[in-house]
């Protein structure tokens, strides 16, 4: 038997390194017909904000070569509704339910995190400082080092459980931001969020998204994500959770070899709702084949 | 309950230059499907598609676990699917979404379709017949050559037609058909699927005459089962997902 | 007849907006069996440095989803050899032959540009401050605003013909750099160069490239490139030459609608060596269909 | 002169679990091809390939404008190609690269191949025969089931075999074959294509015995015609492109 479990620190222990990416997995229940979601290492639920958000107008997505653009814009019920109506339904899943927390001011982040801190069965939050789809902020926090540090510090003060900070790829040097949030008290970082992109319908000459630009995800971004995970894992000492285009066992292993302690799968779930389970099984098979006893033996094991 | 099933193509019958009907057989038992529900179909062996493609269930035969899709070729995805051959395999996530709801027993229905929007109306028609309601169809097209499978619909009930060039039925758009011109409509529920413009006109018509109108939307989708929030439409209660709260909506509920 | 010609300023006039991207088109002659290269709007030849470079060790490329990574590392004969042995062979092509100029110090850029300034039949250079594949520089110039300005200014002083500056996408805000080089005297900007990426062979656990990271090109980067072209075209007043993943007529038109005065085609030439001609013909057909008399009518015509 | 031609598959003969031979016919006249030259083949209808795939010309018939490819299935690209059916179309950029050069008239040749590296050796063998030189083949494989098309090679000259498991011919690697064990080789030029390791050993052998050795490399390629500089190999004169300066090199010229 291979030990797939991963300890991300500050009481966040995953039974295996495969989590699902925020905004692509609803609250987990959407996939319950397809797989036993309790088998997952963790589920990061929808981006959650202090107050309810309607998100951006339709159209919100466009298909691109081996990927898609989205401009959902953090549509969600708000943290109070989440606590009242959704939390009771998901709190007894036998997996780690993390909440992805967004905001447009530091205070909003803090207030949302504080409320979630009180939920016994939420072992951590993923602080989303990298959403490219809302005007008021999100990504702005993740693309400037001082503001990334400021929001992380402020949330760290009120949030005592596992604090994972989700980094934006839309930056010149992601390691700089990673080091900043490490210093500010993050327990781990996750990356990458979507890359800002755009698509145009040449017949109508309109942008394909209501917001003109949106976030690119899917296999097309994998090489960029993998590079950033490798750079970041080599730059900081807290665990790195890697994502961006993972859609096969082999993709997941690339990220782990590059230094990711765990991974998240996003867009690939839309095409194969069973992909997470296939990846968990495939990682186990790979470790057996390579004669490894635990996942840790290949984490960051890239030969260079 | 939603399933991911592999189907085998048992038949592919070309209807005209842009439409085919695929018959698909499943090894597993197919679940109960409500008319208006759809499948997210994986497109294999295609260089330029990425996501699955949403397609309505056109017809179902529970006895032999088979169903039909009516496909209009518009881009690479639908072209690939419509070129599948007998014996080819096709993977579907289904049944998805909320379908049409049954009319009250004394309601008289009008089923209005245009383009690939006629797809769910055949299955709906059968369902109404089974529930002892005779469907009437109003089908709009550019030209007579775009009218397909009329016999199937005629087997179920009266079929009225409009064509833009007047090559068959009434010349003009659907809204120009006499059945929609009477002072008081002789039906009290409209089921419709087709181009946005057509459905908006019908929804206004229904509002004016104070009758029910169920519209089936074709918003772009990424997942098809409520996980991504890409497919929303504005409703009286804010953004709702076309894939799980629809694709069929009561037109009054939509913010049109 | 539709007027496809484009004036990029400072005496660089293209007969049509379709050029080829540096490093993907050799010196043009490589494609002469396939198409009449004189039909192109322009050809940007290989990255050229002051002295000969052997480039990076093999392996230098890896296929990725709808794209490829390369780590060629500016292998080239050096500017003197270029002038002596290559220039005579290409100088009489009836298209604009631009030289892509690279370096690792400002002096190198300046010296190379000065030498090329003397070549009558080279109407312009593309200043490559964005190559991710050489350790000593290239991209470093393109990812910091002050150094981008410094190298552009220095080259501008010695180079009198058309000076196009090629921008790196590996930055937080490409418009900032674009404005900088505009102010420093660039006649136009071209973008994007490749995005830094990575790939791993999970069997051997080695990076697929000898240099670990490399530059991502091809359709996968198109949404990102298009977004950056749109942002840049809205931020500066000199012409923008757009590229990144263009592999169809429709792709090219998207870039033009987004504000590109001309476009370059790179990786797509490998798969279809005739693609440039198809794009030229396709743009003409599109303009006819839309009832336009000249390409200028759709440049930046995106409806927002 | 290089061409971009569409070919039609006229035959696809499976050799064993991983090899097929495709016969392709061209409507245009096929140009003269030198053994060792290759084609960049476009892979259509594949979800996960992007670039063309380099494949050696295995055999040519100028009379009916047809040629053959010998394909080993290793990844999605070669799998797609090896599943093409009669009548399918295939697009190739060809002929590319520098092929093998003819030996001097009094030279005796040994053609050594392993894996898919045997592909160009058939065409080379025919060419030698046409030039009145009898080729001798030395073919290495894991096991007897990996040996394919031996009759074709035997038609041209003697075929010697090594297998790693000893199931046919001499047990061991190519270098263990008696023909390479004699004090003084009874041939004075080696042509080889196959795994890197095998070719390096042969190249050392040739250097030691001071005979010619032409090796055909299989470096990863993006374009195949000298435009990208991705496929380089280090030589006495610095980096050279495998696609235009090779794929066939004099082993002495390589920095191995
Ligand atoms: C609930 C629902 C039911 C449908 N039922 C049918 C049916 O029974 N028969 C039929 O022929 N068509 C139906 N459609 C439309 C069909 O999904 C699109 O025509 C198809 O996705 C186009 O894919 P493509 O690759 O051929 O075209 P492309 O234009 O290449 O598609 C590009 C992208 O746009 C999306 N897209 C394009 N057009 C549409 C559209 N009209 N609706 C949703 N997404 C679109 C595609 O899914 C893809 O992501 C239905 C759509 C929905 C939402
Ligand atoms: C000049 C030349 C001649 C060749 N002749 C033959 C032949 O006659 N028969 C045959 O079966 N194979 C031949 N090969 C090898 C063949 O090109 C590869 O096996 C094939 O490209 C693998 O593609 P794939 O999609 O199946 O595998 P993948 O592993 O999915 O390919 C991924 C990428 O790696 C590249 N790649 C992988 N393996 C090789 C390789 N060995 N050489 C070059 N690129 C590779 C592919 O082109 C692609 O870009 C030749 C290679 C070269 C360079
Ligand atoms: C439709 C959609 C919605 C998303 N919403 C969020 C979100 O609310 N919060 C967040 O941090 N990331 C969000 N993301 C980004 C993903 O979590 C992930 O970082 C990104 O998609 C890259 O991974 P992938 O390529 O595996 O999808 C969203 C992505 C998609 C496609
Ligand atoms: C093999 C290869 C070599 C390249 N060499 C150079 C170069 O020397 N100088 C340069 O400015 N850009 C170079 N590029 C970048 C391209 O010119 C172009 O900016 C990039 O590939 C994006 O366009 P594409 O997606 O159409 O290829 C190279 C790209 C590739 C694929
Ligand atoms: S398509 Fe994903 S939520 Fe509707
Ligand atoms: S493969 Fe492009 S130069 Fe050789």
């Amino acid at each position: 038997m291979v030990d797939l479990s991963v300890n991300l620190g500050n009481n966040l222990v995953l039974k295996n390194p495969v989590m699902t990416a925020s905004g692509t997995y609803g609250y987990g229940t959407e996939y319950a017909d397809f797989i036993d979601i309790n088998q997952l290492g963790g589920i990061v639920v929808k981006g959650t904000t202090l107050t309810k958000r309607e998100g951006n107008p339709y159209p919100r997505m466009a298909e691109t070569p081996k990927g898609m653009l989205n401009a959902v814009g953090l549509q969600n019920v708000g943290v109070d509704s989440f606590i009242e109506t959704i939390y009771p339904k998901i709190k007894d899943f036998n997996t780690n339910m993390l909440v992805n927390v967004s905001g447009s001011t530091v205070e909003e982040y803090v207030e949302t995190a504080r409320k979630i801190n009180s939920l016994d069965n939420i072992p951590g939050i993923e602080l989303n400082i990298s959403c490219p789809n809302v005007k008021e902020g999100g990504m702005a926090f993740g693309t400037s080092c001082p503001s990334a540090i400021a929001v992380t510090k402020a949330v760290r003060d009120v949030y005592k459980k596992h604090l994972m900070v989700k980094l934006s790829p839309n930056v010149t040097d992601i390691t700089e931001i990673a080091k900043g949030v490490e210093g500010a008290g993050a327990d781990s970082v996750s990356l990458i969020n979507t890359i800002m992109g755009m698509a145009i319908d040449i017949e109508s000459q309109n942008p394909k998204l209501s917001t003109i630009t949106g976030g690119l995800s899917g296999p097309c971004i994998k090489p960029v994500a993998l590079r950033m995970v490798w750079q970041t894992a080599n730059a900081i000492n807290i665990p790195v959770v890697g994502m961006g285009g993972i859609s096969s066992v082999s993709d997941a292993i690339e990220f782990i070899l590059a230094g990711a302690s765990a991974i998240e799968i996003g867009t690939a779930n839309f095409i194969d709702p069973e992909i997470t389970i296939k990846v968990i099984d495939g990682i186990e098979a790979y470790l057996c084949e390579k004669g490894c006893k635990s996942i840790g033996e290949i984490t960051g094991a890239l030969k260079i | 309950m939603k399933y991911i099933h592999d189907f085998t193509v048992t038949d592919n019958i070309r209807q005209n230059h842009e439409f085919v009907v695929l018959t698909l057989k499943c090894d597993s038992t197919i679940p109960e499907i409500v008319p208006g529900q759809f499948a997210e179909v994986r497109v294999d062996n295609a260089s330029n598609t990425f996501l699955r493609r949403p397609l309505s269930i056109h017809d179902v035969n529970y006895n032999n676990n088979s169903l039909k899709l009516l496909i209009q070729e518009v881009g690479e995805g639908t072209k690939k699917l419509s070129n599948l051959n007998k014996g080819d395999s096709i993977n579907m996530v289904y049944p998805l979404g909320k379908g049409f709801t049954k009319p009250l027993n004394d309601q008289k229905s009008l089923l209005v379709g245009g383009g690939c929007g006629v797809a769910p109306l055949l299955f709906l028609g059968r369902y109404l017949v089974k529930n002892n309601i005779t469907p009437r169809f109003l089908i709009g097209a550019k030209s007579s050559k775009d009218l397909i499978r009329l016999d199937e619909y005629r087997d179920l009930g009266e079929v009225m037609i409009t064509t833009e060039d007047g090559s068959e039925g009434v010349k003009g758009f659907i809204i120009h058909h006499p059945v929609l011109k009477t002072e008081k409509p002789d039906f009290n529920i409209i089921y419709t699927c087709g181009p946005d413009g057509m459905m908006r006109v019908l929804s206004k018509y229904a509002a004016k005459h104070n009758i029910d109108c169920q519209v089936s939307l074709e918003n772009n989708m990424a997942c098809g089962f409520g996980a991504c929030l890409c497919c929303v439409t504005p409703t009286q209660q804010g953004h709702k997902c076309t894939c799980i709260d629809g694709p069929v909506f009561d037109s009054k509920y939509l913010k049109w």
Side-chain angles (χ1 to χ4, degrees), chain A, chain B:
Chain A
M1 267 301 294
V2 181
D3 181 8
L4 288 182
S5 73
V6 175
N7 187 342
L8 291 179
N10 196 0
N11 296 315
L12 182 58
V13 180
L14 316 180
K15 67 184 86 168
N16 63 60
V18 179
M19 301 200 280
T20 57
S22 178
T24 68
Y25 220 71
Y27 295 104
T29 47
E30 290 79 355
Y31 289 85
D33 278 359
F34 306 121
I35 63 162
D36 173 6
I37 56 174
N38 293 319
Q39 289 188 37
L40 299 173
I43 293 174
V44 185
V45 306
K46 235 171 249 192
T48 301
T49 49
L50 188 57
T51 50
K52 181 182 160 81
R53 288 180 56 97
E54 278 295 325
N56 293 320
Y58 180 84
R60 290 180 174 185
M61 82 99 183
E63 196 181 64
T64 66
K66 282 282 166 187
M68 62 175 277
L69 289 163
N70 90 79
V72 171
L74 296 176
Q75 175 176 338
N76 79 102
V77 295
V79 69
D80 291 332
S81 271
F82 169 78
I83 292 173
E84 243 171 80
T85 65
I86 297 167
Y87 176 64
K89 288 184 210 152
I90 65 173
K91 76 181 183 32
D92 295 324
F93 290 150
N94 182 18
T95 182
N96 292 290
M97 302 298 293
L98 305 194
V99 178
N100 180 271
V101 170
S102 274
S104 30
T105 63
V106 172
E107 294 67 43
E108 259 189 67
Y109 277 105
V110 168
E111 212 37 53
T112 311
R114 191 201 308 275
K115 291 185 182 213
I116 292 170
N117 194 50
S118 67
L119 304 177
D120 285 344
N121 293 359
I122 301 292
I125 60 174
E126 183 181 57
L127 200 68
N128 177 7
I129 56 168
S130 44
C131 179
N133 294 329
V134 289
K135 279 209 194 76
E136 321 86 59
M139 197 171 91
F141 288 101
T143 54
S144 130
C145 207
S147 59
I149 292 173
V151 68
T152 307
K153 269 209 178 115
V155 169
R156 176 76 294 175
D157 281 346
V158 304
Y159 191 75
K160 301 307 170 191
K161 292 187 243 175
H162 190 97
L163 174 58
M164 184 184 292
V165 179
K166 185 163 180 183
L167 305 181
S168 171
N170 302 292
V171 295
T172 307
D173 182 2
I174 199 166
T175 64
E176 195 199 334
I177 317 268
K179 284 183 215 155
V181 304
E182 178 182 33
D187 294 309
S188 64
V189 295
S190 61
L191 60 147
I192 61 175
N193 210 315
T194 53
I195 307 181
M196 224 177 126
M198 181 171 167
I200 295 173
D201 178 335
I202 68 160
E203 280 320 313
S204 69
Q205 305 188 334
N206 288 316
K208 287 193 179 174
L209 300 176
S210 67
T211 47
I212 308 177
T213 61
L216 186 64
S217 65
C220 57
I221 67 169
K222 197 197 76 178
V224 178
L226 187 67
R227 181 263 296 182
M228 289 186 166
V229 164
W230 177 73
Q231 289 178 317
T232 304
N234 284 309
I236 61 175
N237 295 308
I238 51 175
V240 171
V241 177
M243 84 193 87
I246 298 178
S247 44
S248 69
V249 176
S250 158
D251 290 343
I253 292 168
E254 283 190 73
F255 277 81
I256 295 168
L257 290 169
S261 299
I263 56 126
E264 294 181 19
I265 299 181
T267 307
N269 291 298
F270 303 158
I271 297 152
D272 182 0
E274 297 169 331
I275 184 69
T276 43
I277 303 297
K278 291 177 188 164
V279 169
I280 295 168
D281 293 347
I283 292 174
E284 183 162 6
Y286 177 86
L287 291 171
C288 286
E289 196 198 297
K290 293 279 174 194
C292 297
K293 296 222 164 40
S294 77
I295 180 83
E297 291 178 46
I298 64 163
T299 311
L302 181 69
K303 297 177 189 149
I304 49 175
Chain B
M1 185 83 182
K2 306 181 279 281
Y3 296 85
I4 308 177
H5 279 161
D6 279 322
F7 284 75
T8 306
V9 177
T10 57
D11 214 358
N12 177 348
I13 302 188
R14 182 156 284 279
Q15 307 295 317
N16 65 10
H17 62 292
E18 54 172 1
F19 279 96
V20 304
V21 172
L22 286 187
T23 308
L24 308 170
K25 204 172 154 15
C26 191
D27 281 338
S28 317
T29 305
I30 63 178
E32 206 186 316
I33 302 173
V34 177
Q37 286 192 306
F38 64 101
E40 279 281 358
V41 183
R42 202 178 64 205
V43 184
D44 296 330
N45 305 316
S47 324
N48 297 310
T49 65
F50 174 59
L51 298 161
R52 288 172 181 259
R53 296 294 187 256
L55 293 168
S56 303
I57 309 297
H58 179 50
D59 210 351
V60 181
N61 185 339
Y62 295 108
N63 297 328
N64 64 358
N65 288 311
S66 84
L67 52 77
K68 289 191 204 299
L69 302 175
L70 174 67
I71 303 178
Q72 179 178 23
E73 295 175 303
V74 299
E76 174 158 347
T78 47
K79 272 185 195 123
K80 275 280 162 195
L81 294 172
S82 57
N83 280 308
L84 288 176
N85 294 315
K86 219 169 148 157
D88 286 344
S89 172
I90 184 172
N91 181 279
M92 310 210 296
V93 178
Y94 80 114
L96 300 172
K98 292 212 175 68
F100 294 101
T101 52
K102 217 174 11 190
L104 305 176
N105 267 341
D106 57 346
Q107 274 186 315
K108 284 174 131 185
S109 66
L110 183 71
L111 282 60
V112 190
C116 67
V118 299
L121 300 188
L122 184 68
F123 185 30
L124 174 62
R126 283 207 207 296
Y127 174 83
L128 294 179
V129 167
K130 219 174 280 161
N131 284 277
N132 296 315
I133 297 165
T134 307
R136 277 201 299 169
F137 297 94
L138 172 58
I139 295 176
K142 281 231 167 74
S143 170
S144 65
K145 71 174 189 323
D146 303 313
L147 291 161
I148 52 169
R149 286 173 76 71
L150 292 183
D151 290 345
E152 302 284 330
Y153 295 90
R154 285 191 179 122
D155 277 354
L156 301 172
E158 182 192 355
V159 174
M160 296 165 282
I161 285 166
T162 63
T163 53
E164 291 176 33
D165 66 358
S167 52
E168 192 162 335
V170 175
K171 180 169 170 145
F173 293 103
I174 266 168
I175 201 67
H176 301 129
H177 195 279
V179 73
L180 296 175
K181 290 285 177 201
T182 55
E183 185 91 348
K184 208 176 130 17
D186 60 348
F187 46 85
N188 36 30
I189 182 161
I190 297 175
Y191 296 101
T192 178
C193 185
D196 238 52
M198 180 192 102
M199 296 197 292
R200 279 171 196 264
V201 163
L202 283 168
S203 131
K204 278 205 191 113
Y205 172 93
K208 191 175 133 197
H209 292 89
N210 198 24
I211 60 177
D212 285 339
C213 179
Q214 296 188 11
V215 304
S216 180
L217 301 186
E218 291 194 353
N219 284 14
N220 284 4
M221 295 179 177
C223 71
F225 43 80
C228 75
L229 305 188
C230 286
C231 61
V232 292
T233 191
T235 72
Q236 305 302 344
Q237 294 173 24
H239 276 140
K240 289 288 168 189
C241 285
T242 308
C243 69
I244 48 168
D245 300 309
V248 177
F249 291 95
D250 184 325
S251 69
K252 284 193 291 294
Y253 185 68
L254 295 177
K255 263 203 177 153
W256 263 8

